[in-house]
Amino acid sequence: PGGTRGPTREQADSMVETRDATDDTAPAPPGAPVAEMLGLYENGLLQLVLRERRGEIDVVRNGHVMDRVALVRGSLRVVSEGDLEGQTIVPERDARGRTVALHVAGLRLARRPLGLESGNQLKVAPVRPMAELRREALAAQPPAETGRDATPDLVELTALDSTISLEIRYASDNNLYGTPFYSQARAFLQRPAAEAVARVHRALAAYGLGLRIHDGYRPWYVTKMFWDAASPAVRPFVADPSKGSKHNRGAAVDLALYDRRTGATVPMPSTYDETTMRAYPDWPGGSARERWARDLLRRLMEREGFTVFEFEWWHFDYRGWEHWPILNIPFERLGIAGRAAR
């Protein structure tokens, strides 16, 4: 939810270039035999990412070598030139027929579980009772700052366009800690950022898509609750309240895409708030259709002045975020829906 995460930036930089949104036409979804095998397989010597492109499987090896393969009677034969040329990659399947490992060149590579197969939100247990943390956070004060020269002007996104979809995770129990943090399911951003989001939403209509907002402005006390609830293992994934976050400034937004015809959330290479490499905006895996949707979102957001967070495809920061101060205004004090808040 706006912190930092590993693995290293160098590992992410070494990945095969995979931005697929240069074509305005969404690729077709892969067939079942291909889709079932997509994923990350590894042992101590070798890591293979099986991804789909043009209905076929590519193998990304150790993050930077691309092998072309042909699907032959349920196995994969490497057809591209290189040290694996001519090798057969043999899937190992469980009793349900699901691929659980790959065998290649005498090695067994186990499938690494990434995210939740159900698509539901990853959840962790808070280290202290939430009611206690809430009382402490509401009584605390944000860090003192100087040099923030922009006047806050928070605008409710649905006031700019009522067809922007809201799925505010922190107003429900479908979030990292499994408990509501907001009493109202609303999304605000500083006016220039809000207007830019609305322009992206309108541009997506040409693709039959729209924006689904998971979070925008986040009062500082909620960031403090995240931090104080986190175990040492979770701390790297949440923002430090002593520094505040871009969400606290109303200059960051977490979002996804939805299908305007069906209302369904558009699949991406990872689920929202997933703490794995699949969440990287340049993760090479998944299907071509998933990468296309992720990259289309990024392309349109960047065109409007946003920058994607290097470890989360859904998190975008608006240019000039450093000019706005940390805010600690609860949603209840931001006026009625449809009215800007200053």
Side-chain angles (χ1 to χ4, degrees):
T4 59
R5 67 181 65 222
T8 66
R9 180 67 262 175
E10 288 76 15
Q11 184 173 4
D13 285 341
S14 71
M15 288 181 177
V16 173
E17 178 63 30
T18 59
R19 298 188 68 178
D20 294 323
T22 55
D23 190 337
D24 281 343
T25 303
V34 170
E36 185 278 322
M37 286 191 285
L38 304 183
L40 172 62
Y41 302 81
E42 61 186 356
N43 64 12
L45 299 174
L46 182 63
Q47 180 189 82
L48 300 182
V49 175
L50 268 57
R51 70 176 204 150
E52 179 267 339
R53 187 177 66 95
R54 298 176 183 172
E56 299 181 350
I57 293 179
D58 289 335
V59 178
V60 180
R61 183 158 34 113
N62 291 341
H64 60 276
V65 177
M66 182 75 73
D67 294 306
R68 309 294 181 192
V69 299
L71 184 60
V72 181
R73 293 189 294 276
S75 295
L76 301 170
R77 186 166 184 81
V78 179
V79 296
S80 58
E81 296 181 356
D83 54 349
L84 288 184
E85 183 180 3
Q87 290 278 355
T88 298
I89 302 173
V90 180
E92 176 187 323
R93 296 184 170 90
D94 62 16
R96 298 177 298 165
R98 182 179 182 275
T99 303
V100 295
L102 299 175
H103 294 263
V104 58
L107 299 175
R108 181 184 186 273
L109 284 72
R111 187 174 196 156
R112 178 177 170 184
L114 291 177
L116 300 171
E117 292 182 4
S118 66
N120 294 326
Q121 169 71 45
L122 172 69
K123 295 184 180 181
V124 299
V127 299
R128 294 169 55 197
M130 278 296 181
E132 179 181 310
L133 296 177
R134 185 180 295 275
R135 286 194 300 270
E136 292 180 4
L138 288 171
Q141 295 296 320
E145 294 186 298
T146 59
R148 309 299 178 180
D149 55 352
T151 301
D153 183 13
L154 292 174
V155 175
E156 191 155 18
L157 292 178
T158 52
L160 298 180
D161 192 320
S162 63
T163 64
I164 292 175
S165 173
L166 299 184
E167 187 188 340
I168 307 302
R169 293 292 182 93
Y170 300 116
S172 73
D173 63 2
N174 189 22
N175 58 58
L176 187 67
Y177 290 110
T179 189
F181 289 85
Y182 305 154
S183 62
Q184 300 175 346
R186 302 169 71 185
F188 300 85
L189 288 174
Q190 300 291 353
R191 183 175 295 278
E195 292 174 344
V197 164
R199 289 193 293 271
V200 172
H201 178 68
R202 289 193 291 270
L204 284 165
Y207 303 89
L209 304 174
L211 290 178
R212 175 154 287 157
I213 310 299
H214 292 313
D215 200 20
Y217 161 67
R218 180 184 303 158
W220 176 84
Y221 79 88
V222 174
T223 294
K224 179 169 172 57
M225 290 178 67
F226 287 171
W227 182 261
D228 292 344
S231 67
V234 175
R235 282 269 170 101
F237 304 114
V238 297
D240 184 346
S242 69
K243 302 175 182 178
S245 76
K246 299 175 182 69
H247 279 292
N248 299 153
R249 305 176 193 280
V253 62
D254 294 348
L255 38 64
L257 299 177
Y258 77 93
D259 187 310
R260 289 183 186 245
R261 182 179 61 85
T262 66
T265 299
V266 173
M268 297 289 192
S270 85
T271 57
Y272 171 67
D273 246 3
E274 185 175 306
T275 55
T276 76
M277 289 185 293
R278 293 199 317 179
Y280 289 7
D282 293 319
W283 169 246
S287 71
R289 190 180 185 91
E290 291 168 344
R291 295 191 306 274
W292 178 88
R294 177 196 65 188
D295 298 344
L296 174 66
L297 174 64
R298 178 176 175 178
R299 174 160 60 94
L300 296 183
M301 291 292 285
E302 288 178 341
R303 189 173 72 184
E304 291 294 345
F306 287 91
T307 301
V308 70
F309 180 45
E310 61 183 344
F311 299 124
E312 297 175 345
W313 61 259
W314 59 82
H315 177 110
F316 290 86
D317 301 319
Y318 191 65
R319 63 190 172 208
W321 62 266
E322 66 275 8
H323 293 283
W324 282 292
I326 293 172
L327 299 175
N328 198 26
I329 308 169
F331 287 180
E332 295 82 357
R333 289 173 47 197
L334 291 178
I336 62 172
R339 180 177 298 171
R342 296 177 183 269

